[in-house]
Amino acid sequence: MTPQHQDIKHILQSERLNVPVRVYGWVKTFRNDRFIVINDGSTIQNLQLVIEPANYDEAFLKKISTGAAIYAEGELVESLGKGQAVEVQVSKLEVLGEADPETYPIQPKKHNLEFLREKAHLRPRTTLFGAIMRTRSSLAYAVHDYFRRNGFVYVNTPIITGIDAEGAGQMFRVTTWEPENIPLDEAGKPDYRKDFFGKKTNLTVSGQLEAETYAMALGKVYTFGPTFRAENSNTTRHLAEFWMIEPEVAFLDLDGDMDLAEDFVKSIIGFVMKSNAEDLAWLEKRLLDEEKRLPKDKRSDMPLREKLQFVLDNRFVRISYTEAIDILKNSKPAKKGKFQFRPQWGMDLQTEHERYLVEKHFKSPVIVFDYPADIKAFYMRLNADGKTVRAMDVLFPGVGEIIGGSQREERLDVLLEKMRRMGISEKELWWYVDLRRYGTAFHSGFGLGFERMVQFVTGMGNIRDVIPYPRYPKSAEF
Ligand code: ATP
Ligand code: MN
């Protein structure tokens, strides 16, 4: 790209002083009719512009307020004030677009996150959301970079799917029908043959099943795309629309799958620690400031970047589900009746259990494997015990489950039997079953919820604050 102007990031990185610069940006603050601090989104750093007030009339100066878009030409000089190394002595200034201070909601003060969610179109102008979204973007790049370096093929699986239920969550129906005018069949039921696709269709809850078909041809593949779940769970870790990364690998067993998951998350975290060092430093300071208001025992053990480094430096603990239940049964909170759900073999691990294992017992990311077959999806490989499946979940501090994966059932008879028992239609998934008919082989994969990773890396408590426009029950503004 040939830039017509310079990004603030590049201006601040260049070590050449007394050179002409041309910058655009939005005003953060304007003090003493002289100092305009602007940001253009290229970096968390602002640039200070210094103007001579006598050169402008009062009406013009009034237009310079927080949020206004401006253009400036001038000379980059060493700054005499503290707080910045360089600044721009302005020779020409234009206000491109004013921002009426009476109504512009983003003022130079701390806004609470609920307020900013209602102003989701303007919140990227805040320092906080700039830092989050730059970090998110780098993480996405790191994902593609990791898979590319390791020989994976990027596969785009469909967003509209003909799969009606695969157990991952409630689905959103896709149709062109008007609700008051639905074609009915002879029995008075909706006649889906007359709908757009000639059958029931939904938004995808996962690209896995289709990804498997590509893994069984190209070997190592991954998907990275939007996923939809109509789950009515108003938690800080669930969205109705989120992005998922799903690698799928032929000739890989569950141990290899766990190795891949661990290596992958360490790689992308390591990447952003370098690429977004300034953003993370700022996010860390924000968290420390927030926590000062909390009682000591509610504060986190480690500052943000230390926590990220800790993940890089330590091997994730790996325990079977059965071991996890034993640890939970013998734990203090279980004995004191402090868990809302009493740990019992066969139950799904609740958030309180996951957090106990990760934050209290092991103080480390934990991979739990070999879950009871009854609480996991139909496609997970049955173990010899007949009771457990080759599933694994990666649990992280703060966010809980960040990855869910498994070795897939490759034996035709076992798969069909399982589908029958779980009420999964063989007729609908004929193509998936075909994989077990033609050249079947052991293979594995997992799904990483991208927003949960962004949450972990940025330290944000609510998943609604790590995606530009969050979708959740009763909320689809913007
Ligand atoms: P949970 O128990 O937290 O609801 P899940 O078991 O439904 O997760 P999977 O179906 O295994 O999750 O999906 C893989 C990953 O996708 C999860 O580990 C998580 O990181 C992410 N994920 C799942 N549901 C959501 C959601 N509603 N919003 C955001 N991320 C999600
Ligand atoms: Mn779920």
Side-chain angles (χ1 to χ4, degrees):
M1 192 174 95
T2 322
Q4 294 178 302
H5 65 278
Q6 291 144 292
D7 285 345
I8 290 177
K9 181 177 178 175
H10 290 120
I11 292 175
L12 294 178
Q13 273 170 356
S14 89
E15 273 155 17
R16 293 173 55 213
L17 284 176
N18 306 90
V19 291
V21 287
R22 291 169 306 157
V23 284
Y24 290 88
W26 291 272
V27 175
K28 285 265 170 186
T29 57
F30 182 34
R31 289 185 293 120
N32 304 344
D33 282 352
R34 191 177 286 273
F35 302 105
I36 311 170
V37 172
I38 65 165
N39 186 276
D40 67 357
S42 61
T43 159
I44 197 161
Q45 307 277 0
N46 300 321
L47 182 64
Q48 175 157 286
L49 312 177
V50 185
I51 61 169
E52 176 49 54
N55 294 346
Y56 307 92
D57 61 41
E58 209 169 303
F60 180 83
L61 292 176
K62 272 205 95 135
K63 294 184 188 176
I64 307 167
S65 65
T66 300
I70 63 171
Y71 168 71
E73 287 178 18
E75 195 184 355
L76 191 69
V77 297
E78 196 180 328
S79 175
L80 300 177
K82 48 178 192 257
Q84 63 279 319
V86 295
E87 61 193 19
V88 178
Q89 281 294 340
V90 174
S91 52
K92 180 178 171 193
L93 183 66
E94 278 173 35
V95 175
L96 306 177
E98 297 170 50
D100 183 352
E102 296 291 319
T103 54
Y104 182 63
I106 311 292
Q107 291 303 320
K109 62 162 196 173
K110 214 162 142 184
H111 295 287
N112 74 49
L113 296 170
E114 289 77 18
F115 171 83
L116 290 173
R117 248 169 253 152
E118 286 164 17
K119 311 279 184 253
H121 60 311
L122 295 171
R123 67 179 183 174
R125 305 253 187 114
T126 63
T127 308
L128 173 61
F129 280 86
I132 296 168
M133 294 307 161
R134 275 187 301 272
T135 304
R136 180 184 166 106
S137 167
S138 297
L139 268 171
Y141 175 82
V143 167
H144 289 297
D145 183 53
Y146 178 87
F147 288 125
R148 178 147 194 94
R149 279 190 287 109
N150 287 284
F152 284 66
V153 177
Y154 178 37
V155 175
N156 300 108
T157 48
I159 288 169
I160 299 172
T161 170
I163 305 174
D164 201 34
E166 65 179 80
Q170 291 294 310
M171 303 180 99
F172 290 100
R173 177 69 35 88
V174 174
T175 176
T176 52
W177 284 347
E178 294 296 336
E180 53 280 348
N181 188 18
I182 292 176
L184 302 177
D185 62 15
E186 306 77 46
K189 294 261 167 59
D191 189 352
Y192 288 103
R193 287 168 303 181
K194 298 212 173 92
D195 201 355
F196 189 91
F197 294 107
K199 63 182 295 192
K200 269 195 198 173
T201 47
N202 293 295
L203 292 177
T204 184
V205 292
S206 153
Q208 178 202 317
L209 303 190
E210 290 93 346
E212 277 186 51
T213 64
Y214 267 67
M216 295 306 284
L218 301 176
K220 287 183 277 187
V221 304
Y222 73 105
T223 71
F224 184 0
T227 325
F228 308 85
R229 295 188 185 180
E231 44 198 0
N232 209 348
S233 47
N234 269 298
T235 76
T236 55
R237 297 169 303 110
H238 289 90
L239 290 165
E241 176 180 309
F242 64 101
W243 287 66
M244 187 143 64
I245 297 142
E246 296 177 279
E248 194 67 40
V249 183
F251 317 117
L252 188 75
D253 66 12
L254 192 72
D255 286 323
D257 201 34
M258 292 193 266
D259 292 341
L260 174 65
E262 181 166 344
D263 189 53
F264 168 61
V265 296
K266 284 179 171 172
S267 165
I268 63 177
I269 292 171
F271 183 97
V272 287
M273 284 180 75
K274 290 204 191 86
S275 68
N276 290 64
E278 287 182 336
D279 291 322
L280 294 178
W282 189 91
L283 289 163
E284 172 178 293
K285 186 170 172 305
R286 170 190 172 271
L287 281 177
L288 292 172
D289 288 346
E290 296 267 294
E291 289 194 345
K292 278 192 194 131
R293 287 192 260 130
L294 299 176
K296 276 225 165 67
D297 62 318
K298 289 267 176 333
R299 298 181 194 169
S300 47
D301 302 340
M302 292 180 209
L304 182 63
R305 285 173 301 175
E306 219 174 285
K307 193 177 76 176
L308 301 179
Q309 191 60 46
F310 181 85
V311 168
L312 299 193
D313 293 344
N314 291 278
R315 200 180 130 82
F316 298 179
V317 171
R318 297 182 188 188
I319 53 164
S320 71
Y321 169 89
T322 303
E323 289 171 274
I325 290 288
D326 282 343
I327 291 169
L328 290 166
K329 275 186 173 165
N330 292 316
S331 69
K332 252 198 214 144
K335 288 185 173 151
K336 288 191 178 162
K338 288 262 166 72
F339 283 134
Q340 201 189 332
F341 298 90
R342 206 163 53 85
Q344 250 177 319
W345 202 96
M347 79 188 309
D348 210 355
L349 294 184
Q350 304 294 316
T351 305
E352 56 180 351
H353 305 138
E354 297 177 346
R355 295 194 69 156
Y356 175 82
L357 291 172
V358 170
E359 290 162 28
K360 294 272 170 353
H361 190 81
F362 289 112
K363 294 189 190 304
S364 152
V366 175
I367 310 184
V368 180
F369 59 89
D370 285 352
Y371 280 81
D374 291 344
I375 58 170
K376 288 289 182 186
F378 73 94
Y379 48 71
M380 298 187 178
R381 192 178 200 281
L382 193 63
N383 277 313
D385 63 11
K387 288 192 311 193
T388 59
V389 285
R390 299 249 75 192
M392 63 102 175
D393 280 0
V394 181
L395 313 178
F396 262 34
V399 291
E401 181 192 328
I402 197 158
I403 284 179
S406 66
Q407 184 172 331
R408 320 305 189 188
E409 184 56 74
E410 84 283 14
R411 297 162 296 185
L412 179 65
D413 51 339
V414 184
L415 181 69
L416 287 176
E417 166 59 24
K418 189 73 153 303
M419 288 173 73
R420 238 167 270 141
R421 254 197 324 118
M422 291 194 159
I424 309 280
S425 162
E426 187 191 329
K427 223 173 100 203
E428 191 183 308
L429 287 179
W430 61 275
W431 51 272
Y432 184 74
V433 176
D434 258 4
L435 283 186
R436 280 73 184 167
R437 289 204 173 94
Y438 308 119
T440 193
F442 67 105
H443 62 286
S444 302
F446 62 79
L448 166 75
F450 186 53
E451 283 74 20
R452 294 214 186 147
M453 180 53 85
V454 182
Q455 258 191 294
F456 179 73
V457 169
T458 59
M460 295 304 290
N462 196 320
I463 198 164
R464 297 171 186 180
D465 298 324
V466 298
I467 187 166
Y469 294 104
R471 297 287 178 253
Y472 50 93
K474 301 286 172 291
S475 175
E477 189 68 39
F478 308 100

